[in-house]
Amino acid sequence: MAKRKRGMTFIPYDYEAAYNKSLEDMHEFFVEQLFKQGKKVVYALKEIRAGDQFEIEIYPQFKKMDEVPPEGRSIKKDNDKAQRNLNDKNARKYVERLINENFTDRDLWLTFTYDNEHLPPDGDIDAAIKNVQKFIRRVNYQRKKRGLPNARYVYVTAYNPTEEIRWHHHIVMDGDMDMDVVEGCWKQSSRNEVRRLQKDENGLTGMAKYIVEEKNRVKSEKRWNSSQGLRDPDIKVVHSKRPTAKAGGYKKIGTYVETMRKGHEQVREQMLKWYPDFDFTDAGIYYNDFNSMFYIRARMRKRRQQ
């Protein structure tokens, strides 16, 4: 849906694809010239909270598609492939954030494979998905016997014939039931991997990216699913911020871009001013010659109490 701000309607577009040139190796003089060439535009700031992880995305917004760099023009009737790619990218990001929001180190990461006798036919994702659903029914049956509620889970079905990757399933599931009992509910192979999740400085993002990576699974809207009742990541879009968390008065996001586009250290300093309860992890600054505008992303994590 388009975003509305004071009577204005902004069109949706793929801002990651539109701004894909990194400023990391560009000389400061050229960065300055690039910024001077840019037109005045509304910048949005998107805050995404998922568990201990906090992502920030800053990007320009437009009213007309011809104002968008060509690489980001995915919302068009004559560009179905680009639209599918955007949908796929957004789905993968959502799965990563859903896992961070709902699971911890006490939960499980399951990887289930197939022996030759039970291997689904090439390209038959319906058959593969049915096997996962049967597994989940068996798990819930065992949980009911133990007085436990139904499992909380996210699963991703992986398969790619061009990479010679056989059908397999990655499942993130709550750890309320014994791992051996959970593994015993999978009947299609004995060569599986079951382990506890382990967070790093990016929470569970590294694991989540691995199980949804492009080369490792079939493209399909049905390739992933989740149990009911999981918490959605918290996403908020704003167009102005205070200079610091405690300061009074708001400034348009574009005024902060002028400073942050100079480098990672400037992004880091601003993020810590806005969000003092979080530790800074990393950032990226990107631009496009088409309109000399910027996309800035940052990642932070909730500061742990001593």
Side-chain angles (χ1 to χ4, degrees), residues 61-162:
Q61 290 187 310
F62 305 97
K63 298 179 185 178
K64 300 177 181 179
M65 188 60 74
D66 58 10
E67 297 176 330
V68 176
E71 297 91 333
R73 299 176 187 177
S74 55
I75 316 295
K76 294 179 69 175
K77 292 181 180 179
D78 59 348
N79 203 349
D80 290 340
K81 182 178 180 181
Q83 180 62 61
R84 288 196 302 271
N85 287 338
L86 177 59
N87 292 343
D88 190 68
K89 180 192 300 182
N90 288 339
R92 284 184 281 133
K93 290 168 71 172
Y94 178 73
V95 171
E96 293 168 19
R97 293 162 179 167
L98 193 67
I99 289 172
N100 268 311
E101 175 66 22
N102 289 277
F103 298 95
T104 68
D105 289 345
R106 66 176 298 278
D107 298 320
L108 305 178
W109 175 11
L110 321 165
T111 300
F112 289 138
T113 61
Y114 290 88
D115 55 33
N116 291 333
E117 182 180 352
H118 297 93
L119 187 66
D122 288 348
D124 192 349
I125 192 169
D126 290 329
I129 295 300
K130 286 180 180 178
N131 289 328
V132 182
Q133 293 171 343
K134 289 179 181 178
F135 161 75
I136 291 170
R137 286 196 292 269
R138 295 189 191 105
V139 167
N140 285 335
Y141 172 75
Q142 293 296 331
R143 292 171 69 100
K144 185 176 181 180
K145 287 173 59 177
R146 291 162 173 78
L148 296 171
N150 284 347
R152 296 180 296 108
Y153 62 85
V154 174
Y155 71 72
V156 177
T157 296
Y159 163 77
N160 192 330
T162 62

Side-chain angles (χ1 to χ4, degrees), residues 28-238:
E28 185 176 342
F29 170 79
F30 295 105
V31 175
E32 193 70 30
Q33 297 305 307
L34 184 68
F35 193 79
K36 289 179 179 179
Q37 296 170 18
K39 301 177 182 178
K40 288 187 177 180
V41 67
V42 173
Y43 273 90
L45 182 148
K46 182 184 290 185
E47 301 172 336
I48 308 108
R49 287 179 169 84
D52 293 337
Q53 301 306 300
F54 185 32
E55 299 173 65
I56 303 94
E57 298 179 337
I58 299 173
Y59 53 93
Q61 290 187 310
F62 305 97
K63 298 179 185 178
K64 300 177 181 179
M65 188 60 74
D66 58 10
E67 297 176 330
V68 176
E71 297 91 333
R73 299 176 187 177
S74 55
I75 316 295
K76 294 179 69 175
K77 292 181 180 179
D78 59 348
N79 203 349
D80 290 340
K81 182 178 180 181
Q83 180 62 61
R84 288 196 302 271
N85 287 338
L86 177 59
N87 292 343
D88 190 68
K89 180 192 300 182
N90 288 339
R92 284 184 281 133
K93 290 168 71 172
Y94 178 73
V95 171
E96 293 168 19
R97 293 162 179 167
L98 193 67
I99 289 172
N100 268 311
E101 175 66 22
N102 289 277
F103 298 95
T104 68
D105 289 345
R106 66 176 298 278
D107 298 320
L108 305 178
W109 175 11
L110 321 165
T111 300
F112 289 138
T113 61
Y114 290 88
D115 55 33
N116 291 333
E117 182 180 352
H118 297 93
L119 187 66
D122 288 348
D124 192 349
I125 192 169
D126 290 329
I129 295 300
K130 286 180 180 178
N131 289 328
V132 182
Q133 293 171 343
K134 289 179 181 178
F135 161 75
I136 291 170
R137 286 196 292 269
R138 295 189 191 105
V139 167
N140 285 335
Y141 172 75
Q142 293 296 331
R143 292 171 69 100
K144 185 176 181 180
K145 287 173 59 177
R146 291 162 173 78
L148 296 171
N150 284 347
R152 296 180 296 108
Y153 62 85
V154 174
Y155 71 72
V156 177
T157 296
Y159 163 77
N160 192 330
T162 62
E163 299 286 343
E164 298 184 355
I165 296 174
R166 288 161 61 104
W167 286 109
H168 60 283
H169 307 278
H170 293 290
I171 306 173
V172 178
M173 180 176 288
D174 71 74
D176 292 347
M177 193 164 69
D178 182 80
M179 289 192 293
D180 291 337
V181 178
V182 174
E183 184 177 7
C185 294
W186 181 254
K187 307 297 183 181
Q188 274 63 38
S189 173
S190 59
R191 299 179 61 184
N192 307 302
E193 192 170 1
V194 178
R195 60 279 208 197
R196 294 284 176 187
L197 292 171
Q198 187 172 359
K199 289 186 177 182
D200 57 21
E201 66 175 8
N202 293 314
L204 299 172
T205 298
M207 179 278 301
K209 282 184 178 294
Y210 171 77
I211 69 176
V212 297
E213 64 181 354
E214 184 71 22
K215 69 178 182 179
N216 205 32
R217 44 108 183 124
V218 63
K219 281 189 175 183
S220 168
E221 293 180 357
K222 297 182 292 184
R223 71 183 181 277
W224 77 274
N225 206 343
S226 65
S227 58
Q228 295 182 348
L230 296 184
R231 298 183 305 273
D232 280 330
D234 181 40
I235 300 177
K236 180 182 179 182
V237 177
V238 299

